[in-house]
């Protein structure tokens, strides 16, 4: 399936008020600064992706390991400077241009750049209005770089990642603390989630057509206990019981929610497309 076959309509345009103008100027300055940095050190798209790939080989050690803070900073530094062209994309592609007609059956697609036992590199393509529902990343460290578009991201961490028996309404319901509930616009810094922190359970909702470069270490694997689970969230107060009234301070109610594991939603199904950007060379 080609990217053009997926819904590409943008639902929002740039605001014309003062705040919108300021935001647009800030984005343009960020893009210009990144381009100047890349130009000064003469990093080609092929070298930029290869640099990321080689660093991932050094950083990710496999099942049961988490990158050190220095390694996390190293990968973030590389990803923050990456641009759509580094993976063969451009904002001029029809996928990222607004259309007046919206297809009802638009689906998220993804292309795998590279995958091994220790990590994977892939690109997610989200047509406007599509959603990747709340899902987790068990035992994984994930770096997400929004390359193009505007996206709403909501994420949670378990209040007690090991045992939530004292904070459970039903066997399937657990208390979680919200880590993010914001709109992100490219270019922006890389977001990082860890096995038990940083917003391990998150949802992507595309406002405009989006492309996200995802680095997963290690990747999903049912054999190693890293299968993906999906969740439905409910506001904390909605299901609050009297015996749990002291768990969360009243002024922090909005920062918490109850998560219930659900069957894989239909909208979570993705189509696979071939990656056509620069390749990586395995030095091993």
């Amino acid at each position: 399936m080609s990217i053009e076959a997926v819904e590409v309509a943008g639902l929002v345009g740039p605001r014309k008020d003062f705040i919108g103008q300021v935001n647009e100027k800030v984005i343009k300055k960020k893009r210009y600064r990144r381009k100047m940095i890349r130009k000064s050190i003469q990093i080609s798209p092929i070298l930029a992706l290869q640099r990321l790939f080689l660093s991932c080989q050094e950083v990710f050690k496999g099942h049961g390991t988490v990158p050190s803070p220095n390694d996390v900073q190293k990968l973030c530094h590389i990803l923050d400077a990456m641009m759509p062209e580094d993976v063969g994309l451009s904002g001029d592609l029809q996928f990222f241009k607004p259309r007046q007609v919206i297809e009802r059956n638009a689906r998220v697609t993804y292309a795998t750049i590279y995958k091994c036992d220790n990590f994977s590199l892939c690109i997610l393509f989200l047509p406007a209005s599509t959603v990747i529902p709340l899902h987790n990343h068990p035992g994984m460290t994930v770096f997400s770089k929004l390359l193009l578009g505007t996206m709403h991201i909501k994420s949670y961490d378990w209040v007690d990642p090991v045992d939530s028996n004292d904070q459970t309404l039903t066997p399937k319901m657990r208390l979680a603390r919200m880590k993010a509930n914001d709109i992100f616009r490219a270019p922006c810094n890389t977001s990082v989630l860890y096995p038990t922190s940083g917003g391990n359970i998150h949802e992507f909702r595309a406002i405009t057509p989006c492309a996200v470069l995802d680095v997963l270490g290690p990747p999903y694997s049912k054999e190693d206990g890293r299968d993906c689970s999906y969740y439905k969230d409910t506001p904390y107060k909605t299901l609050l019981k009297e015996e749990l009234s002291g768990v969360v301070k009243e002024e922090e109610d909005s920062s918490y929610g109850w998560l219930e594991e659900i069957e894989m939603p239909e909208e979570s199904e993705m189509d696979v497309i071939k990656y056509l950007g620069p390749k990586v060379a395995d030095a091993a």
Side-chain angles (χ1 to χ4, degrees):
M1 175 179 291
S2 66
I3 297 177
E4 288 76 8
V6 186
E7 174 51 49
V8 296
L11 299 183
V12 297
R15 292 176 56 190
K16 299 304 181 182
D17 56 12
F18 175 75
I19 295 177
Q21 293 175 2
V22 171
N23 288 338
E24 191 172 352
K25 289 181 179 179
V26 170
I27 290 175
K28 287 182 178 179
K29 287 182 178 179
K30 286 183 178 180
R31 287 174 178 164
Y32 177 79
R33 184 168 63 250
R34 291 170 193 267
K35 287 181 179 179
M36 289 301 99
I37 292 174
R38 290 173 57 83
K39 186 176 180 180
S40 65
I41 58 180
Q42 298 181 338
I43 298 180
S44 70
I46 296 177
L47 291 179
L49 183 59
Q50 184 68 16
R51 182 187 177 198
L52 173 63
F53 169 70
L54 294 176
S55 295
C56 287
Q57 285 188 317
E58 296 176 356
V59 167
F60 294 110
K61 306 301 182 183
H63 176 71
T65 64
V66 177
S68 69
N70 286 339
D71 284 338
V72 169
Q73 185 177 11
K74 176 182 179 180
L75 285 184
C76 283
H77 180 72
I78 296 172
L79 285 163
D80 286 346
M82 292 190 70
M83 302 172 64
E85 292 78 10
D86 294 326
V87 290
L89 297 178
S90 168
D92 293 331
L93 291 175
Q94 189 60 46
F95 177 81
F96 300 105
K97 292 182 178 180
R99 290 180 181 174
Q100 293 182 350
V101 179
I102 300 178
E103 297 178 8
R104 294 183 178 180
N105 296 323
R107 286 162 66 111
V108 177
T109 62
Y110 75 93
T112 299
I113 301 173
Y114 179 87
K115 183 177 181 180
C116 65
D117 291 341
N118 289 351
F119 70 93
S120 66
L121 306 175
C122 67
I123 308 173
L124 300 171
F125 298 96
L126 290 83
S129 80
T130 58
V131 179
I132 299 179
L134 276 174
H135 62 284
N136 69 346
H137 308 79
M140 302 158 64
T141 304
V142 180
F143 297 75
S144 295
K145 167 66 176 181
L146 181 61
L147 295 171
L148 287 165
T150 301
M151 172 185 291
H152 180 270
I153 299 177
K154 178 166 58 175
S155 65
Y156 292 92
D157 285 325
W158 297 122
V159 168
D160 186 339
V162 178
D163 184 3
S164 61
N165 289 336
D166 294 335
Q167 298 164 353
T168 300
L169 291 177
T170 72
K172 294 184 179 180
M173 197 80 71
R174 292 177 61 184
L175 183 62
R177 180 166 187 166
M178 186 176 290
K179 300 297 292 184
N181 189 24
D182 299 300
I183 292 176
F184 295 81
R185 297 176 177 85
C188 57
N189 291 335
T190 304
S191 62
V192 186
L193 62 84
Y194 302 89
T196 59
S197 64
N200 187 277
I201 304 168
H202 69 198
E203 171 194 271
F204 287 169
R205 187 177 295 271
I207 299 175
T208 68
C210 296
V212 182
L213 174 58
D214 252 9
V215 180
L216 288 72
Y220 286 108
S221 171
K222 291 184 179 181
E223 294 76 13
D224 294 324
R226 295 191 303 276
D227 196 7
C228 187
S229 298
Y230 294 88
Y231 301 89
K232 178 180 71 174
D233 61 335
T234 302
Y236 175 74
K237 271 192 172 181
T238 302
L239 298 177
L240 182 61
K241 285 190 173 183
E242 183 177 352
E243 62 267 25
L244 295 172
S245 59
V247 173
V248 175
K249 296 180 180 178
E250 186 174 351
E251 62 270 19
E252 297 179 347
D253 282 353
S254 60
S255 298
Y256 291 82
W258 298 103
L259 301 191
E260 178 182 6
E261 187 172 345
I262 59 175
E263 294 294 326
M264 181 179 177
E266 183 178 349
E267 62 267 31
S268 66
E269 296 182 2
M270 302 182 191
D271 291 324
V272 181
I273 60 175
K274 184 178 180 180
Y275 172 67
L276 300 175
K279 306 299 182 183
V280 295
D282 193 342

